[in-house]
Amino acid sequence: LAALGRTDRARQAFAAAAAADPSDPAGYVNLGALELERADARAAAAHFAEALSVDPGSDAAREGLASAFERLGEDDRAARLRRPQAASQRR
């Protein structure tokens, strides 16, 4: 849906998925990716952080959060997420 320019419908679908199964990080990751595409890095970071709180081992959430931090000019925080010790904390 997002690729077809239907971002509002995509956002609703991803939010519904996150609400239906809050223990699955996929809905939050998808919301974060959508916000990154819309250039709202702050909103994206919030969604990716929520995904990491649900699943600290989510590579997609960790990389998404690092990308959001970079867009916010927080390169140090992005680098910390990408360090090898951050990788060792993954499941």
Side-chain angles (χ1 to χ4, degrees):
L1 292 173
L4 298 173
R6 299 179 183 154
T7 56
D8 289 337
R9 289 183 66 193
R11 185 180 296 107
Q12 290 172 351
F14 296 148
D21 187 359
S23 66
D24 183 354
Y28 303 114
V29 169
N30 287 326
L31 283 166
L34 180 66
E35 295 302 344
L36 274 183
E37 287 179 22
R38 294 184 62 245
D40 189 345
R42 200 161 303 285
H47 291 302
F48 289 126
E50 184 66 27
L52 279 175
S53 75
V54 169
D55 180 4
S58 172
D59 291 334
R62 185 173 308 286
E63 181 56 35
L65 185 56
S67 294
F69 283 155
E70 284 176 339
R71 292 188 188 185
L72 292 168
E74 298 181 28
D75 294 336
D76 290 342
R77 291 178 81 183
R80 281 195 300 272
L81 284 168
R82 291 182 172 133
R83 283 191 189 136
Q85 61 265 34
S88 70
Q89 295 173 352
R90 298 176 196 160
R91 291 187 214 172

